[in-house]
Amino acid sequence: MPTVDDLVGIAEGLARLQDMYQLDTKAMASGKLFDRKVGRQLKTAECYEIGNKLTSATNYRYAVSWLRESLRLWTTESPGVSKVEVMNALAYALSNQGEYEEALELTNKVLKLQPDNQRALNSKEPLEKWIEYKKEHGLPPPVPDANYKNYPSLCRGDYQRSTKEVAKLRCRYEHNRTPFLRIAPLKLEELNHDPFIVVYHEVLYAKEIATLLDIAKPLLHRSMVGDDLQNKVSKTRTSNNGCLNAVIHPVVRTISRRTEDMTDLAMSAAEQLQVGNYGVGGHYLPHHDYAVPEEGKEAYPAVGKGNRIATVMYYLSDVAIGGATVFPELGVGVFPRKGSAIFWYNLHANGSIDARTLHGACPVFVGSKWVANKWIHEYGQEFRRPCQIDQKV
């Protein structure tokens, strides 16, 4: 059975989808998404529960919208929740948004219906005081949202790069890197030149993907964020993952060798393949794959092979809507295509971090997103990706 935390997480995922994809609460409650009927009309009590769970998560903006919808749908025949309960919950969410006047108006309506309603009685005087305070001092400025530039528009597919930028990009067969690629070249699509970001198409077979998923599913656990010393569950990353050992699993060894062919980087400095799953609403806010250690300390000391020089992300599934990998600083977005892989460098050739590689996983709207990440570290790459003559590069 789902726990209270699970239900709150589901409501937060719903609000995340609303925010990212600009969805109307009334339309969602009616079972419509993008003018398509995808489900039934939600009941008054269901909208009320969503609003309550968002209130518990302190997401008052969307709590208000769902509680308003609950109140709009309420009739004397609505099972599971009374009109007074909905009005009290809405008044509380509004008060936390600084909408004290409307909250007081709702509280007074509750007291007309139930003069002895304890929650409304306890709320009335504080609301009156807050209204006076608001008149005299105003409200503090709202906390600004994190600014990730083009993140939302890239997730929605709205942002388009200029023709001048796109004209420089090419698709080609990659066959020069290793002897193996001469007989089995890879389909490469350039996404960005500086920093270098490419997609390799059709690099995994369906049977390999099925095997990876069979191995990984029993190993999945909630994803963590942080470094080797401080790993914790975070709302910035809502997914499940599990690591696969190349020594034990032949298919993982095969993919590791293929990753070396793709990148021309030594796998002796790579982490284990990590399979991840993002359900509906699952996301990972913009972040960097490299670490920035304190002065005199090593990046990823548990690995002991320096910083993450590069990332390869394999897509193990298609996603019906959403789930893109986006680079807000660069205006680059990639939507998952089963069997393809995206590759980029996190560091400059001189070993310094490249902040432009900020990237995020957009919320999954419809479907389920499966990926496999291979993080490759610096040590052993000296002759594979040598420093340039210009040490600033």
Side-chain angles (χ1 to χ4, degrees):
M1 290 292 289
T3 65
V4 173
D5 286 344
D6 291 332
L7 296 175
V8 171
I10 291 168
E12 287 182 300
L14 189 65
R16 192 179 304 123
L17 291 173
Q18 281 187 266
D19 188 50
M20 184 61 65
Y21 299 111
Q22 300 177 338
L23 305 174
D24 176 67
T25 299
K26 183 178 178 181
M28 290 186 75
S30 71
K32 286 184 179 179
L33 295 174
F34 300 121
D35 297 323
R36 289 188 295 173
K37 190 73 173 176
V38 296
R40 63 169 175 81
Q41 168 72 54
L42 293 183
K43 299 174 182 176
T44 304
E46 292 169 328
C47 294
Y48 171 75
E49 283 302 322
I50 293 171
N52 259 353
K53 293 299 182 288
L54 289 172
T55 297
S56 299
T58 67
N59 189 331
Y60 300 113
R61 175 188 170 193
Y62 285 103
V64 165
S65 71
W66 281 98
L67 292 168
R68 284 194 197 280
E69 183 61 14
S70 178
L71 188 59
R72 189 187 72 82
L73 294 172
W74 191 90
T75 68
T76 53
E77 297 178 359
S78 297
V81 63
S82 70
K83 187 175 185 179
V84 164
E85 287 177 289
V86 179
M87 292 169 75
N88 269 333
L90 179 54
Y92 179 76
L94 283 165
S95 68
N96 280 281
Q97 284 280 91
E99 301 294 337
Y100 305 118
E101 296 84 358
E102 188 178 354
L104 181 60
E105 183 182 338
L106 283 166
T107 299
N108 286 331
K109 287 180 179 179
V110 169
L111 291 172
K112 280 186 179 181
L113 295 171
Q114 287 185 5
D116 61 345
N117 186 280
Q118 201 60 49
R119 182 173 180 180
L121 287 169
N122 292 339
S123 301
K124 184 174 181 179
E125 186 178 345
L127 285 171
E128 290 170 340
K129 289 181 178 179
W130 274 113
I131 290 171
E132 290 302 315
Y133 181 89
K134 183 178 177 180
K135 287 178 181 177
E136 188 174 346
H137 302 286
L139 291 174
V143 178
D145 294 331
N147 181 17
Y148 295 123
K149 288 192 176 179
N150 300 316
Y151 178 57
S153 58
L154 284 166
C155 285
R156 292 191 296 268
D158 295 342
Y159 181 85
Q160 300 294 326
R161 304 175 83 184
S162 69
T163 305
K164 185 178 179 181
E165 290 176 295
V166 175
K168 299 175 183 177
L169 304 175
R170 299 286 185 270
C171 294
R172 65 176 184 271
Y173 282 101
E174 180 63 73
H175 57 81
N176 293 323
R177 215 165 248 168
T178 65
F180 177 75
L181 292 184
R182 292 190 174 278
I183 58 172
L186 296 171
K187 297 176 181 178
L188 181 150
E189 177 186 354
E190 298 174 349
L191 297 181
N192 204 73
H193 289 156
D194 184 24
F196 184 70
I197 306 174
V198 297
V199 169
Y200 289 99
H201 293 282
E202 299 174 0
V203 290
L204 289 181
Y205 298 107
K207 188 175 181 180
E208 291 174 325
I209 292 172
T211 302
L212 282 179
L213 296 181
D214 286 342
I215 298 168
K217 284 176 181 178
L219 304 174
L220 294 181
H221 58 272
R222 178 65 190 268
S223 300
M224 315 284 274
V225 298
D227 54 25
D228 297 330
L229 303 176
Q230 288 185 326
N231 257 335
K232 60 182 181 179
V233 171
S234 172
K235 293 181 181 179
T236 65
R237 184 186 192 188
T238 52
S239 62
N240 296 289
N241 63 40
C243 293
L244 309 185
N245 193 325
V247 175
I248 300 174
H249 304 293
V251 70
V252 181
R253 287 199 298 276
T254 299
I255 292 169
S256 184
R257 286 195 297 271
R258 195 171 303 150
T259 305
E260 186 160 347
D261 288 332
M262 289 164 56
T263 63
D264 198 27
L265 295 174
M267 293 299 104
S268 58
E271 298 177 38
Q272 290 183 337
L273 190 70
Q274 185 188 86
V275 173
N277 174 237
Y278 296 81
V280 173
H283 75 136
Y284 195 171
L285 285 178
H287 60 283
H288 294 100
D289 281 355
Y290 57 72
V292 183
E294 295 177 15
E295 186 81 26
K297 293 189 177 180
E298 183 184 4
Y300 300 102
V303 180
K305 295 181 179 180
N307 218 334
R308 288 172 172 170
I309 190 174
T311 297
V312 177
M313 180 189 294
Y314 291 96
Y315 293 113
L316 308 182
S317 69
D318 296 312
V319 179
I321 304 176
T325 304
V326 301
F327 295 78
E329 298 289 336
L330 303 170
V332 173
V334 183
F335 285 86
R337 182 175 294 179
K338 186 177 179 179
S340 65
I342 182 171
F343 165 58
W344 71 89
Y345 288 112
N346 298 303
L347 308 179
H348 293 287
N350 65 5
S352 63
I353 62 174
D354 192 339
R356 299 170 298 172
T357 60
L358 181 80
H359 62 283
C362 300
V364 174
F365 190 12
V366 177
S368 180
K369 176 183 174 183
W370 287 90
V371 297
N373 290 301
K374 193 74 171 176
W375 289 295
I376 307 164
H377 290 254
E378 294 175 279
Y379 294 3
Q381 316 298 352
E382 293 84 356
F383 297 103
R384 305 240 183 172
R385 194 195 187 206
C387 291
Q388 304 298 311
I389 295 174
D390 181 356
Q391 294 187 4
K392 294 180 181 180
V393 176

